[in-house]
Amino acid sequence: MEMNICIVEDEQSLAELIHMNMELEGYTVRLLTTGKEAMDLAPQMNQFNLVILDVMLPDFSGLEICEEIRKHSDVPILFLSAKGTTEDKIAGLKRGANDYLSKPFDLEELLLRVHNLTKLFQPETSTKSTLLTIAGKRIDFQTYEVRQLSDNVLIATLSKKEVELLRLFAEREGQVVSRDEILDSIWGTDQFPTSRTIDNYILVFRKLFETDPRNPSYFHSIRAVGYKFTRG
Ligand code: CA
């Protein structure tokens, strides 16, 4: 199975050293050298098995990037930092990092930690996604199950139509999807539901994923048009 690692590191020689050694170990590496690139990619970090994140970057701090990634994903994060004090480690772990390594570090130790961390997480593949994470809950499009990410407890089992509609929203994340489009792609030539039916699906989703279903963060109603799905 292919293992994908994202490395965010601005020191070129160190970045290249890690990059080369990861590739020798068989990992596929995506190297980012600025905090901006990492912030932009934060919503898509689910595609990786691990993010190795430098704390001291010239534009954004690794801590900020870590917070941004955690809004979207539970991908393992390993901090690399020249700041090796206990307080710094705690600050990193408090922001949701899984592990912390002080520079300079032993390459073998890094590889061992990487090996352990990459086993923790199953990434979503960007091409044919079968898993979707919303509000700390993971939807499996193949089993229709919704599970709590933290402890894998089963919360709900969705219907086929609910899964199809969620998949449509995920594919069109951030865009307005009209009622007509929803009817077309989910119901097609099947017996046509009323608009009320779609509303009922949205109610189910809000009940499952929203903290306050009357003030939704994920499933937004776009008046007179349809719906928009966003994840932060
Ligand atoms: Ca740095």
Side-chain angles (χ1 to χ4, degrees):
M1 195 177 67
E2 187 180 270
M3 289 281 196
N4 293 291
I5 297 181
C6 179
I7 301 172
V8 187
E9 172 61 73
D10 63 308
E11 287 164 56
Q12 205 184 348
S13 56
L14 181 60
E16 279 168 10
L17 179 76
I18 301 174
H19 188 171
M20 190 184 77
N21 279 281
M22 292 297 154
E23 287 196 337
L24 284 174
E25 292 289 310
Y27 297 107
T28 303
V29 174
R30 171 90 178 261
L31 180 62
L32 308 178
T33 52
T34 67
K36 169 79 168 60
E37 288 174 277
M39 288 298 262
D40 289 346
L41 197 63
Q44 282 105 47
M45 289 293 187
N46 258 357
Q47 64 187 288
F48 300 105
N49 294 80
L50 172 68
V51 180
I52 299 177
L53 187 54
D54 182 25
V55 175
M56 302 282 275
L57 294 158
D59 43 4
F60 291 94
S61 86
L63 295 175
E64 288 174 285
I65 297 165
C66 180
E67 277 189 346
E68 189 60 29
I69 294 173
R70 279 289 171 265
K71 288 181 192 168
H72 306 275
S73 168
D74 284 306
V75 60
I77 296 173
L78 169 65
F79 267 128
L80 290 184
S81 176
K83 295 174 151 190
T85 69
T86 307
E87 297 92 280
D88 291 324
K89 289 186 186 182
I90 290 170
L93 296 171
K94 270 189 175 166
R95 307 279 178 115
N98 301 68
D99 205 351
Y100 195 110
L101 204 52
S102 304
K103 295 177 188 174
F105 50 81
D106 184 87
L107 200 55
E108 197 177 342
E109 184 179 1
L110 173 68
L111 293 174
L112 281 172
R113 288 181 192 240
V114 166
H115 179 72
N116 289 335
L117 288 166
T118 49
K119 288 190 294 195
L120 294 176
F121 187 69
Q122 192 188 356
E124 295 176 10
T125 55
S126 48
T127 43
K128 189 174 165 285
S129 184
T130 57
L131 298 168
L132 173 71
T133 307
I134 307 172
K137 297 171 180 125
R138 169 156 290 180
I139 302 114
D140 187 324
F141 290 142
Q142 285 174 333
T143 63
Y144 299 179
E145 288 173 351
V146 183
R147 287 178 182 273
Q148 195 75 45
L149 257 184
S150 52
D151 52 13
N152 209 34
V153 165
L154 182 68
I155 299 164
T157 304
L158 301 172
S159 72
K160 185 163 181 283
K161 288 273 188 266
E162 285 165 346
V163 167
E164 285 173 2
L165 185 51
L166 272 181
R167 194 190 270 277
L168 174 67
F169 280 133
E171 284 167 2
R172 300 282 305 276
E173 185 169 353
Q175 300 170 18
V176 178
V177 186
S178 72
R179 289 171 173 279
D180 283 350
E181 274 183 272
I182 294 173
L183 292 175
D184 251 18
S185 43
I186 309 298
W187 278 271
T189 52
D190 292 4
Q191 197 177 12
F192 238 49
T194 62
S195 289
R196 184 101 208 123
T197 315
I198 300 178
D199 291 337
N200 286 334
Y201 280 83
I202 302 297
L203 284 179
V204 170
F205 295 160
R206 284 182 178 153
K207 213 171 147 188
L208 265 174
F209 301 110
E210 303 283 2
T211 315
D212 177 4
R214 280 169 304 179
N215 185 19
S217 309
Y218 305 100
F219 297 93
H220 311 273
S221 303
I222 307 297
R223 208 179 150 82
V225 185
Y227 294 96
K228 184 170 80 173
F229 168 64
T230 58
R231 279 185 291 178

